[in-house]
Amino acid sequence: MKNAILILSLLLPVLAGAQLKFTINGTVELPDSTRISLVTQGNKPVVIQKTRAINGKFSISGEVKEVMMANLLVFSKGEMQTRTIYLEEGLIQLNAGKNLTAATVMAGPLNKLWDEWQAGHGSKLTGLDLHEVGNFVKLHPGSPLSLDLIVYDEEKRHKWYSLFKTLDASLQGTDRAKLYRKNVESDLSLQPGSTAPDFTVNDPEGNSWNLSDYRGQYVLLDFWASWCKPCRAAVPHLRELYNKYKDKNFTILGVSIDKNAQDWVNAIRVDNSNWKHGSDLEGHTGKIARLYMLSFVPQVYLLDPEGRIIAKDNYEKVLAERLGNQ
């Protein structure tokens, strides 16, 4: 889900405020009225346009704000065929025969470059070799394909970031690049060694507190919600940790992404989670959820007395190392 949200957010601005005009003319050996869709690239594609094959031909014309990668899709005899192309200015001629996936494309230099890349590496945009992508970017620092080889791999986006910064300024100024930079820098701010972003919430009594108020202590920052079963199931273990370390300069801060105040307060009472709690009651789209990129809960961060993140998933091991012998 997180991947889908990121990739969709990278693509939507490209469809807004359209300026670039393209036309795709295609020939296919498919029955009349077979539906052909043009959709955005990514895990959660957005339909740009649909058309139908008539007498072995189809045509799609439209506008996008920036040059972008897209997929032509067709369902034929129970199977999906797809051909990835670039929407670039002007005419894109596609000759498919019976197999859209193997279609030849005659268009501008970007589609030619994409086909050259595919010939050696395939059409996948994830799991790519960093060295090979680096060599390509070095040769083509101003190509939108270089940008796309970087931004689509969610699992490697931190590793790609130094490579991203070598792209031409013209590419780094595109909407897709700006959003990629914003997301990666937000991610980097949540990695061990970074200072946890500060925020303000209200406790169940309506009193506000800041994360930075708890500098000087080890803090287990627990993001949760009343409707989250794994979050609620973790409370007994968190209570054990709290009782074990609370006299050793340690506390837990529970931050809920609930929207309903009564559900939140009732969950605290029922679970007897007797540490500090807070929420902005704005749900998973609120400021804090966006600040910490909370596409799911529970999520836990262990902070040192200076407010730096020192652990995430392995927080119990780090707690034991830091406080176990005190």
Side-chain angles (χ1 to χ4, degrees):
M1 183 65 177
K2 185 176 180 181
N3 291 13
I5 291 171
L6 171 69
I7 293 172
L8 183 60
S9 70
L10 289 171
L11 290 170
L12 288 179
V14 179
L15 301 176
Q19 298 172 0
L20 182 151
K21 296 181 180 181
F22 66 89
T23 296
I24 304 169
N25 288 337
T27 61
V28 290
E29 296 179 25
L30 294 171
D32 278 2
S33 297
T34 298
R35 186 176 292 278
I36 299 170
S37 300
L38 179 66
V39 302
T40 57
Q41 176 69 261
N43 290 338
K44 194 174 183 181
V46 177
V47 176
I48 301 172
Q49 279 198 42
K50 292 182 179 180
T51 190
R52 293 182 184 274
I54 303 295
N55 296 324
K57 297 181 179 180
F58 71 91
S59 183
I60 296 176
S61 294
E63 298 182 9
V64 289
K65 186 178 180 182
E66 300 171 354
V67 171
M68 66 177 291
M69 191 177 280
N71 287 317
L72 282 163
L73 302 178
V74 63
F75 286 91
S76 177
K77 298 180 180 180
E79 295 184 356
M80 184 181 74
Q81 299 179 23
T82 179
R83 178 58 156 94
T84 302
I85 60 174
Y86 267 96
L87 304 182
E88 53 183 334
E89 186 76 36
L91 177 64
I92 302 167
Q93 180 66 45
L94 183 143
N95 300 316
K98 295 180 180 179
N99 187 353
L100 180 66
T101 301
T104 59
V105 174
M106 292 172 285
L110 185 54
N111 274 289
K112 182 180 179 180
L113 188 62
W114 168 237
D115 283 351
E116 289 174 356
W117 171 268
Q118 286 188 98
H121 305 87
S123 59
K124 287 177 58 179
L125 292 172
T126 58
L128 301 178
D129 181 81
L130 181 60
H131 179 70
E132 291 183 354
V133 173
N135 287 339
F136 182 89
V137 171
K138 186 176 180 179
L139 290 173
H140 306 282
S143 172
L145 177 52
S146 292
L147 174 62
D148 289 333
L149 293 176
I150 292 170
V151 304
Y152 279 104
D153 198 333
E154 167 75 10
E155 299 302 321
K156 290 185 178 178
R157 63 182 180 185
H158 301 109
K159 295 180 180 179
W160 298 130
Y161 191 47
S162 59
L163 191 58
F164 167 81
K165 291 189 285 187
T166 69
L167 295 173
D168 285 356
S170 59
L171 276 180
Q172 295 199 35
T174 61
D175 287 342
R176 194 154 74 256
K178 288 176 182 176
L179 279 170
Y180 169 80
R181 181 191 295 274
K182 179 181 177 182
N183 282 318
V184 170
E185 290 182 352
S186 294
D187 269 0
L188 291 173
S189 72
L190 299 173
Q191 297 304 306
S194 300
T195 299
D198 200 11
F199 56 79
T200 303
V201 287
N202 290 329
D203 66 18
E205 289 73 39
N207 303 309
S208 67
W209 56 267
N210 302 318
L211 175 61
S212 56
D213 294 340
Y214 292 85
R215 296 278 173 85
Q217 294 180 271
Y218 285 93
V219 171
L220 190 65
L221 184 56
D222 175 39
F223 291 103
W224 69 288
S226 64
W227 42 261
C228 168
K229 291 183 179 179
C231 303
R232 305 284 297 275
V235 170
H237 184 60
L238 290 177
R239 189 183 303 113
E240 289 180 11
L241 289 175
Y242 181 69
N243 291 332
K244 181 177 182 179
Y245 295 117
K246 66 180 181 179
D247 296 326
K248 298 183 177 182
N249 201 34
F250 169 81
T251 193
I252 296 177
L253 300 178
V255 179
S256 167
I257 60 168
D258 276 282
K259 284 189 173 181
N260 185 292
Q262 195 59 55
D263 289 347
W264 169 48
V265 173
N266 286 344
I268 295 171
R269 177 181 54 80
V270 170
D271 294 345
N272 190 30
S273 50
N274 55 338
W275 43 84
K276 190 69 176 180
H277 285 274
S279 180
D280 59 10
L281 294 176
E282 294 181 6
H284 67 278
T285 60
K287 293 178 183 177
I288 294 173
R290 286 185 281 115
L291 182 64
Y292 279 80
M293 303 184 73
L294 299 176
S295 57
F296 64 91
V297 287
Q299 286 197 52
V300 177
Y301 294 88
L302 179 63
L303 315 182
D304 70 8
E306 285 72 46
R308 291 188 297 261
I309 298 170
I310 55 174
K312 295 168 76 171
D313 295 336
N314 63 334
Y315 68 90
E316 287 188 64
K317 178 176 181 290
V318 176
L319 261 180
E321 291 172 351
R322 296 285 183 107
L323 301 179
N325 296 322
Q326 288 188 16

